[in-house]
Amino acid sequence: MIDDLKTRLKELKKELKLADDQQREELLDHLEEAVLGLESHGVEVPRWAKDMMASRVDEAVEDMFDNMPV
């Protein structure tokens, strides 16, 4: 199972590079699942995957503030 998750992470990295905005969101959902799966088994998650997850959260927070009235 762990090897499957690691393989999936590699595939997702390639797919994310080529994805448009709509595809990117769906792929990020899959990335999050793979990251959580690896973490639940105590496996080290690659830095690039952690960075992508953090940037997704940052973007969501930024979007939230962009829509606030002044």
Side-chain angles (χ1 to χ4, degrees):
M1 176 171 179
I2 293 172
D3 289 335
D4 292 339
L5 289 171
K6 288 181 178 181
T7 300
R8 182 65 180 136
L9 276 183
K10 290 177 186 177
E11 292 169 357
L12 285 167
K13 185 176 184 180
K14 292 175 189 175
E15 291 174 26
L16 281 161
K17 287 181 182 179
L18 303 172
D20 61 29
D21 288 340
Q22 184 178 0
Q23 294 169 325
R24 187 174 190 273
E25 282 304 310
E26 186 176 335
L27 291 171
L28 286 171
D29 289 340
H30 293 287
L31 178 67
E32 184 174 2
E33 291 172 7
V35 167
L36 292 173
L38 287 173
E39 288 178 339
S40 72
H41 286 79
V43 176
E44 182 71 25
V45 175
R47 171 60 42 201
W48 70 265
K50 288 182 180 180
D51 290 345
M52 288 199 91
M53 297 309 306
S55 104
R56 185 182 197 194
V57 171
D58 292 344
E59 288 172 11
V61 170
E62 188 175 311
D63 287 345
M64 187 174 63
F65 284 105
D66 284 346
N67 295 321
M68 291 184 77
V70 179

